[in-house]
Amino acid sequence: MAILRLENFSVLTLKPLNLEVKEEFICLSGASGAGKSLFLRAIADLIVHQGEANLDEQKCSEINPAQWRKWVGFLSAESAWWTDKVGEHFSKENNQYLRQLNLPEECMSWDVSRCSTGEKQRLAIARLLEQQPKVLLLDEPTASLDPTSVMAVESLIKNYVNKFDAPVIWVSHDQLQIKRLADRKFKIINNEINEVEA
Amino acid sequence: MNVISLSTFDLSMAALLILALAGLSILLKLGLANRISIAAIRTVVQLLLIGLVLKELFAQVSLVWVSLLSLLMLLIAGREVMARQQRRFGGLWGYGLGTFSMFISSFTLTVYALIVVIGTDPWYTPQYAIPLLGMMLGNTMTGVSLALDKLTTHAWQQRNEIEARLILGQDWKTAIGDITRDSVRIGMMPMINAMAAAGIVSLPGMMTGQILSGTEPMEAVKYQILIMFLITAGTGFSTMLATWIGARHLFDDRQRLRLDRLS
C-alpha cells in the first residue's frame, strides 16, 4: 500500500501544504485558475515547486525523475499524442483496461487524429494505467465524457484503487461526482488548499 | 594566366543592374527598394573594408592578428545565429550556445585542414586561414541557426506532447528525441544538398572564383572538394553539438521542460 506525503509543499502562489494521502479518494475542486492543475503537475515534478513529496518514505528529490513520474501517474486534462497511431503510444500490445473503458481492441490501430476527444481521453487513461502507477493524480478525467463513459471510468479507477491500494487525487467540478467518489474533499480558495467537511 | 583587373567603371556597370532592380521594385510596389540599396551599399563597404584588412594581414604573417580577426568573425557569426532564431534562450545562453558550438567545430576543423590537409607554413598563413575559416563559419552559421530555430520553436509548439512523454516515464532525451533529430537534419540539409548538386546544377562559388582568377580548373576542383567536405563536417558537428546542448538546456536537473528559459 502506497502513501503519498507532502511536506510544506507549495507551488507558485499556492500556500504550503502538509498532506498525507493513503489508500483513499481525495477530490479537489476550486474555481478555474485556482491552481488545481498546477498542484497536480507539481506533485508529478513537472514544474518547479518548494517543499518535498514522499512516496512510501522515498523523497521525490532523491529519485530519478522518470521513475518518479512512472510511480505518480498524472493524467492531464487534455491528452497529448506524439505519433500517428494510437498503438504506438502504448508499451504493451494488449491493454487490459480497454474493454472496461468501452473501447474495442482494434483501437490500437486507429489514427489518433480520427479519435474523438472522449475516445482520446479514455485511451489516455488506459495508457496511464498500463504503467501501473502507485498513485493517481487525475485532472478532470471525465470532463469530456458522456454519462456512460463517466461511470465506466469511475468504476475502473475504483477497481484499480482497490487492487493496488493506490491513493487518488481527483480534480472535479461535478458536485455529484465528488459526492459519489470522495473519501475526503479539498477545495482551493484564495491560494489555500483546505479540507472541506462532508 | 593573368587576371583581368576590374576598374571602378566595370563595377559601376554591375551596380546599374542593382539600380534597375531597385527601380523595378518601386514600380511594382514590392517595398524592397530601400532594402536592396542598403544591402548593396553594405556589400560594397564591408567587402572593401575586409579587402583592406586582408591586404594588411597578408603582408605581415602574425598569429595575433589572424587570431583577432578570427575571433571577430566568430563573434559576428554568433550574433547572426542569435538574430535568426524566433524563440531563443534567454540571457547569455542565447548568444553563447551558437557561438560556442561554431567555435568548437569551425576552429578545430580549420586548424586541422591547415595543418594536416593543406600543410601551410606557418599553419596560420592568413591567405589560407582566413578564407577557410570564413567559408566554414558562413555555412556553419546557417546550419546552427536553422537547427536551433527548429529545436526551440518545435519544443514550444509541442510542449504538451513532450510533457505527456515525460509523464509516462520517458527521460528527456527520448521525450524530445524526435525534435532533436529533425533539427539536426534540417541544419545539415543545405550542405548535403549542396554536395549533391555541386558541379551539375551549380558551379560552387569558391571554385568559380578561383577559375576566374586564373587557377587551373582541376586545382580549383580539388580545393572545392576539400572545402565541401570541411564545410559539411563542420556544419554537421556544430549543428549536432548546438542541438544537443540546447535540448539539454530545455530541461533542468529534474528533467522538467523549462520553456521559461526561452525568451
Side-chain angles (χ1 to χ4, degrees), chain A residues 3-11 14-21 39-65 68 71-72 169, chain B residues 253-254 256:
Chain A
I3 298 176
L4 174 72
R5 203 156 46 79
L6 306 178
E7 288 166 10
N8 275 322
F9 194 85
S10 72
V11 50
L14 282 186
K15 288 187 183 137
L17 172 78
N18 288 297
L19 177 68
E20 196 175 86
V21 195
F39 179 61
L40 294 194
R41 285 160 56 80
I43 301 177
D45 205 9
L46 288 166
I47 47 176
V48 180
H49 53 85
Q50 280 79 46
E52 184 69 86
N54 302 273
L55 186 62
D56 298 335
E57 297 312 315
Q58 283 183 288
K59 289 180 178 160
C60 167
S61 57
E62 289 169 1
I63 289 172
N64 173 288
W68 175 265
W71 285 348
V72 179
I169 303 182
Chain B
D253 55 337
R254 293 296 300 166
R256 307 174 185 118

Side-chain angles (χ1 to χ4, degrees), chain B residues 48 144 153 162 169 180:
Chain B
L48 282 179
V144 170
T153 44
I162 298 173
T180 41

Side-chain angles (χ1 to χ4, degrees), chain B residues 18-19 21-27 29-40:
Chain B
I18 298 297
L19 279 180
L21 190 66
L24 201 58
S25 152
I26 295 176
L27 218 63
K29 297 196 172 75
L30 296 179
L32 283 176
N34 271 338
R35 278 212 220 167
I36 294 175
S37 316
I38 292 173

Side-chain angles (χ1 to χ4, degrees), chain B residues 206 220-230:
Chain B
M206 189 217 80
V221 164
K222 281 190 270 176
Y223 264 92
Q224 187 61 51
I225 293 175
L226 169 69
I227 293 294
M228 282 291 207
F229 286 177
L230 282 176

Side-chain angles (χ1 to χ4, degrees), chain B residues 36-67:
Chain B
I36 294 175
S37 316
I38 292 173
I41 293 169
R42 276 188 65 170
T43 297
V44 174
V45 175
Q46 285 165 199
L47 289 181
L48 282 179
L49 276 178
I50 196 69
L52 287 175
V53 170
L54 290 180
K55 199 176 161 192
E56 278 306 303
L57 207 64
F58 288 4
Q60 43 186 328
V61 180
S62 141
L63 182 57
V64 177
W65 284 109
V66 171
S67 309

